[in-house]
Structures are given as structure tokens and as C-alpha cells.
Amino acid sequence: MNTRANDQAPRLIDPSEAAFTAMLAQVEARRREFSELRHIPRDMVDEFIRVGLFRAATPAKFGGDALPPAEFLRKIERISAVDASAGWVASFGSALVYFASLPLTTQAELYRDGPDLVFAGGLFPVQEAMSEPGGYRLNGHWRFASGCAAADMLGVGISGGQDTKGKPLTALLKPEDVEIVENWDVLGLEGTGSNELRVVDKFVPEEYTFVRGGDVNVDEPLFRYPAIAYAAQVLAVVNLGVGRAALDYLTEVGSGGSGITGAPRLADRAYFRIELAKAESLLRSARAFFYEITETAWEIVLRGDPLDDRTAGLLRLAGTAAVKAGWQATQIAFTLAGTGAIYNGHPLQKMLRDAAVPPQHAFLGDGIFDSAGSVLTGGTPFPGFI
């Protein structure tokens, strides 16, 4: 089942700060291209590979780095501050944590050519699959397959059974076995290429299916960290990056010259200073909570202790708080920027549209507050929450 999205060998890995900075410069230079293409092209994904993002969740036993979550999240935050779509696609370097639930023989086959594997999944709506000896026969459509155009492996969601306790399975397919239906026409994050996947009469062996967040077969710290919470965090951190970029832009502009009408510069107006300071506090507070609970959970995992429901619930809560703080900070920046921000070419236009999308994700919606509140008050975690 091992495959590559192109025939070129992976580039040499360079995890240095200089290489990462050079990659960010490429993202900045090409972000308009990403929006026009409506996906991040493979050659840019290769640059993400080169700085180690797509081995960040590969087990060390298969040559990966299995990075601590906070280290990976900070990298995605930095990319997202330059371009949110690039950050969103790069964030799926974390998705290989799911592969730890596969049989070790399957994992060995997937990583046979190296630890840098690009995975994308259109997991919903979950489809019924026909059970056959040794696996499943698949037919159907799946949506929101971010980064699918550059993937080495694709996943789709199928119904589970008694063995999975009713939880859905993800079935892995080679890109040549899947049709990408290009229907990604959206308000923001247009460069993520989150198109629909179509599969017609394809067989997937049982050993190439797994439960997301299910029991793992790799005994390394990263794979004891809650996978569903991590999946929400890598998306939430995109908005921390966008919010940071929006406030930095606003601060620079506000400290500059007078406005369009010749009025005093923004930084000389009390309302501007007050609202900017409030937005800065909002974003930094959410960010501090986000990384604090991430580090706390990681320390528990490193000690070898089981992660309690309360800490896992706080991880989910911090993700939703972060995504909403990034969105609110960007809205404030747009409002304070004044009339010029209404023009389509204004930098805050794209930031505003991009920041509007992550809060709509099912992992990050308002329902998470209810679920988190239940856990914090000693209630039973809602299904799929932790």
C-alpha cells in the first residue's frame, strides 16, 4: 500500500531555524497562488516535509520525530500567521498519530520508504461499507479532505461494528484509487483544497483500517497523548496565528500616519488604544491557557500516568477558546482599521475570511463548552469528546 504523491525521492530533512524561516518566506511569497489554485501544491508540501513537519507524528521506531505537541503546535502557529491555509494543511503532519492504531506490520509497510508520509482524510459523512473476507468494499463520497491533492495516502470514514464499539473506522487508500471532486468554493481557507473524495468499488484490507483515537500499538509518549484533543488543537492554533498577524498588522498601521480623511493617526485615538489593548489581552490570555494545559498534559504523559478526564477536557476547552479568541481578535483588528479595510486587496480582508472558518469546525464549536463543563463538574464525557 505504500505510495508517494510524486516520483521524486523525499528531500533531505533540515529542522534548523534557518530552514524553517526560509520555508516561511516561500509561504509568504506564494500565498496568493495558494488561494488561486485552491490548494497547497505538492512542491510546497515538500518544503513542509523538508523542515520535518510530516515526520513530527511518525513513531521514533519508524524513523520519525514524534515531537511533543507544544513544539509542533508552535510551528503551525508561525506558518498560520503568514498564511492560514498553509498552516491548516501543514497541521495534518500531526495526523499520523492515528496510524499508531494500525497493526505494526501495516505501519512498517507504510513507512517502508521513510517516515515522511503525507496523509489526508475525508472522513465524513461516514458511509456504510460492504464487509468481505479480509476487509471492506467501499463506495461513496466524503467531504472536507484538506490537503488531498498532495497526499501520499487518503482516508475515508466507514461504519464500525461490534469490534469498534460502534465507533467509525478510517479506511486507507492510495491516491490513484480515489477521485478528487474539486468543489472547494468557500469564504476562507480557500487554499486548503478541502475537496470531496469519491470512491467506486475499491477493496481495503482490514489491516488498513483503524479507529481514530483508538487503542495504539506503539508505546511512545506522543501516542499516549489524547489523539482527538490533539486533532482539535492543531486546527485551533491556526487562528492563534491569524489573530497574531491581524493585531501585529493593526499595531503597525495604527502607529503610522494619518487616516484616509486626514484625521489624526489611529494610535492617537483613545478608542483605538483601548480596543487594541483589549484584543491583545484576549489573544494572549487564550494562547497562554492553550499552551499551559498542553504542557501540563504532556508532563503527565511523560510520567507514564494516565491522563484524567478533567485534563483531557481542558485540552478541548483550550482549543475552542483559542480558535474563538483568534477570530475575535481578527474582527477587532478589521473594525479598528477603518474604511480602508473594506477593500478586497486589504491584508485584513483575507485574515478576516480565514479566521471565520476554523470556529465552524465540529471539533471547535460551542458544543465543546457544554462538553467541557460536564467534565469539569464531574459528569461523564460526552461521546467523542476526549
Side-chain angles (χ1 to χ4, degrees):
M1 293 284 288
N2 186 270
T3 186
R4 295 286 178 195
N6 61 17
D7 294 329
Q8 298 178 355
R11 297 180 181 181
L12 293 176
I13 302 301
D14 183 356
S16 68
E17 175 60 25
F20 196 88
T21 301
M23 178 272 292
L24 290 179
Q26 288 195 53
V27 171
E28 182 174 15
R30 300 180 64 182
R31 54 192 175 188
R32 176 173 291 186
E33 174 194 348
F34 304 155
S35 294
E36 292 173 349
L37 288 174
R38 296 192 176 273
H39 69 269
I40 307 299
R42 178 66 195 209
D43 68 316
M44 189 68 243
V45 173
D46 282 341
E47 293 303 310
F48 298 157
I49 290 173
R50 193 170 76 88
V51 298
L53 292 175
F54 281 91
R55 61 174 55 191
T58 301
K61 69 178 299 171
F62 294 114
D65 294 337
L67 292 180
E71 184 175 342
F72 182 76
L73 290 164
R74 288 188 174 95
K75 292 176 184 291
I76 301 306
E77 183 183 8
R78 291 177 64 189
I79 298 171
S80 301
V82 179
D83 182 73
S85 290
W88 188 273
V89 170
S91 80
F92 289 97
S94 68
L96 296 183
V97 294
Y98 297 139
F99 284 20
S101 296
L102 291 163
L104 287 175
T105 53
T106 303
Q107 295 182 55
E109 174 63 19
L110 287 168
Y111 299 124
R112 182 185 61 192
D113 294 337
D116 306 297
L117 193 67
V118 183
F119 170 65
L123 306 179
F124 298 101
V126 173
Q127 304 283 348
E128 294 290 338
M130 183 178 297
S131 181
E132 295 185 1
Y136 302 89
R137 180 71 56 181
L138 274 58
N139 287 278
H141 291 249
W142 292 265
R143 302 179 65 191
F144 304 115
S146 300
C148 59
D152 299 319
M153 295 296 297
L154 294 167
V156 296
I158 60 175
S159 297
Q162 291 183 346
D163 291 344
T164 68
K165 299 178 182 179
K167 295 180 179 180
L169 290 164
T170 297
L172 297 180
L173 297 115
K174 294 181 288 187
E176 57 263 35
D177 291 332
V178 180
E179 176 189 356
I180 295 175
V181 181
E182 296 189 10
N183 58 357
W184 189 239
D185 186 13
V186 289
L187 170 76
L189 293 183
E190 64 270 25
T192 63
S194 304
N195 289 298
E196 184 175 299
L197 303 181
R198 181 171 182 255
V199 177
V200 178
D201 194 32
K202 296 298 180 182
F203 178 79
V204 175
E206 184 175 359
E207 61 268 25
Y208 281 85
T209 66
F210 60 87
V211 175
R212 288 199 305 163
D215 294 338
V216 300
N217 296 310
V218 177
D219 186 19
E220 295 178 19
L222 180 61
F223 309 101
R224 297 194 293 269
Y225 191 88
I228 300 301
Y230 195 23
Q233 287 185 290
V234 299
L235 304 180
V237 81
V238 170
N239 259 21
L240 288 181
V242 179
R244 179 73 271 148
L247 292 185
D248 285 351
Y249 176 84
L250 184 68
T251 302
E252 180 180 354
V253 170
S255 302
S258 61
I260 292 175
T261 63
R265 67 180 190 144
L266 291 171
D268 292 332
R269 308 178 200 185
Y271 78 85
F272 176 87
R273 297 193 299 267
I274 291 168
E275 293 304 313
L276 174 62
K278 287 181 179 179
E280 190 73 32
S281 175
L282 170 72
L283 187 68
R284 286 179 179 268
S285 296
R287 185 178 187 274
F289 174 31
F290 182 84
Y291 284 111
E292 175 196 6
I293 192 60
T294 300
E295 296 284 12
T296 297
W298 184 242
E299 289 170 4
I300 294 171
V301 167
L302 287 179
R303 289 199 305 264
D305 295 335
L307 201 66
D308 59 283
D309 288 350
R310 179 183 176 85
T311 303
L314 286 171
L315 285 172
R316 295 300 307 273
L317 177 61
T320 294
V323 82
K324 292 187 180 300
W327 168 225
Q328 292 166 12
T330 306
Q331 288 177 284
I332 292 169
F334 173 79
T335 301
L336 291 177
T339 306
I342 69 173
Y343 286 92
N344 283 329
H346 194 280
L348 282 170
Q349 274 284 334
K350 187 176 188 310
M351 294 180 199
L352 185 73
R353 289 185 283 105
D354 285 341
V357 176
Q360 303 297 104
H361 196 283
F363 276 7
L364 299 166
D366 282 351
I368 299 302
F369 290 121
D370 185 19
S371 301
S374 176
V375 171
L376 293 175
T377 54
T380 302
F382 294 0
F385 179 58
I386 55 178

